[in-house]
Amino acid sequence: MSKSNLQQVWPVDITPEQMALAALRHEIDLVDEQMLALFEQRLRLADRVGKAKDAPTGPHTKLRPDREQTVLNRMMARCAPDNVEAVEHLWREIVGWGLARQGRQKVQVWAPVDPARAFDGARQRFGAAAEIRTAHTPEAALAFAAQEGGVAVLAVNSGDPWWIGLRRDWDSLTVFDGFGGETPTALAVAKIDPAALPKGRRVVVSAGGDAGDGAGARRWGLATHHGWSLHLTDAVLPLGEPHGCVGAIG
């Protein structure tokens, strides 16, 4: 920005420091305009993707955790190391608003202990575009996901072994994400196309001890109840029997 242009913005004499700051702010304004144009272009493309999905696609939700994982990993690998956290949060929001063009994602959260943590995890995962509500019981959240096509986020090790039902009563639902760190304290479930599961640790519900998930495979225990266990494993398992695999966490 030339000095004459700056003086049009600042009608009084300005110092070199003020001029430099004004020039930087002008550059930021230009970048903001480019970002806005690109974001709106991406939303238009999301509209077209949504129309392409209008053809019958079966009973599954619109979520594609595998695609989201691929996009996010690619962006995080290309950004500067100091920006990884910022890029992850930004891309979650961008993806969330793109999905909202196909209908707002609806999420119900059940977490009797430390609900704010589970709620924050869901908000970070699905973005501000998602409609997130509290469920009073795990059964209500699971029924919402099974019948309404939404997402249920439920705490584990909360005193309620709701996860056993993923093998018995809610076998149409699949775990596709976890919140709370290396050992998740809450799981996200929905009607996910098995082909769209993320690449990562398998979630297993087993009875009577070891699930037989392969020699040498690492395991992370999440919860137990009367001989039933919920755990993660590095073993590559297909959904369903005989190992009791009920999903995957990227």
Side-chain angles (χ1 to χ4, degrees), residues 104-171:
R104 294 231 175 183
Q105 185 65 60
K106 295 183 178 181
V107 182
Q108 289 197 1
V109 177
W110 177 79
V113 179
D114 199 7
R117 184 178 184 184
F119 205 92
D120 288 347
R123 177 62 69 196
Q124 179 179 334
R125 170 61 175 80
F126 300 105
E131 295 181 7
I132 303 179
R133 300 287 184 268
T134 299
H136 297 296
T137 66
E139 290 76 20
L142 290 164
F144 168 76
Q147 299 168 14
E148 304 297 329
V151 173
V153 174
L154 305 104
V156 296
N157 250 334
S158 56
D160 189 310
W162 60 266
W163 38 271
I164 297 176
L166 294 177
R167 285 189 61 173
R168 301 188 309 198
D169 307 313
W170 308 101
D171 56 0

Side-chain angles (χ1 to χ4, degrees), residues 46-221:
D47 281 333
R48 293 174 62 185
V49 169
K51 291 181 175 63
K53 289 183 178 180
D54 282 345
T57 56
H60 306 116
T61 69
K62 62 191 175 184
L63 290 171
R64 295 287 312 192
D66 59 337
R67 166 67 178 165
E68 294 177 18
Q69 182 186 54
T70 299
V71 171
L72 185 59
N73 288 347
R74 179 163 54 88
M75 293 298 101
M76 292 173 65
R78 296 183 63 171
C79 74
D82 290 346
N83 296 332
V84 167
E85 184 177 5
V87 168
E88 179 177 6
H89 285 286
L90 174 62
W91 242 259
R92 290 291 189 194
E93 290 294 339
I94 290 173
V95 170
W97 284 109
L99 283 172
R101 290 303 179 99
Q102 305 167 36
R104 294 231 175 183
Q105 185 65 60
K106 295 183 178 181
V107 182
Q108 289 197 1
V109 177
W110 177 79
V113 179
D114 199 7
R117 184 178 184 184
F119 205 92
D120 288 347
R123 177 62 69 196
Q124 179 179 334
R125 170 61 175 80
F126 300 105
E131 295 181 7
I132 303 179
R133 300 287 184 268
T134 299
H136 297 296
T137 66
E139 290 76 20
L142 290 164
F144 168 76
Q147 299 168 14
E148 304 297 329
V151 173
V153 174
L154 305 104
V156 296
N157 250 334
S158 56
D160 189 310
W162 60 266
W163 38 271
I164 297 176
L166 294 177
R167 285 189 61 173
R168 301 188 309 198
D169 307 313
W170 308 101
D171 56 0
S172 66
L173 300 176
T174 303
V175 178
F176 68 95
D177 212 337
F179 313 112
E182 180 72 8
T183 303
T185 57
L187 299 175
V189 301
K191 287 184 174 181
I192 301 294
D193 183 350
L197 281 176
K199 293 180 173 62
R201 296 173 294 174
R202 268 10 194 191
V203 184
V204 176
V205 175
S206 61
D210 195 290
D213 52 15
R218 290 187 298 169
R219 292 177 55 171
W220 295 261

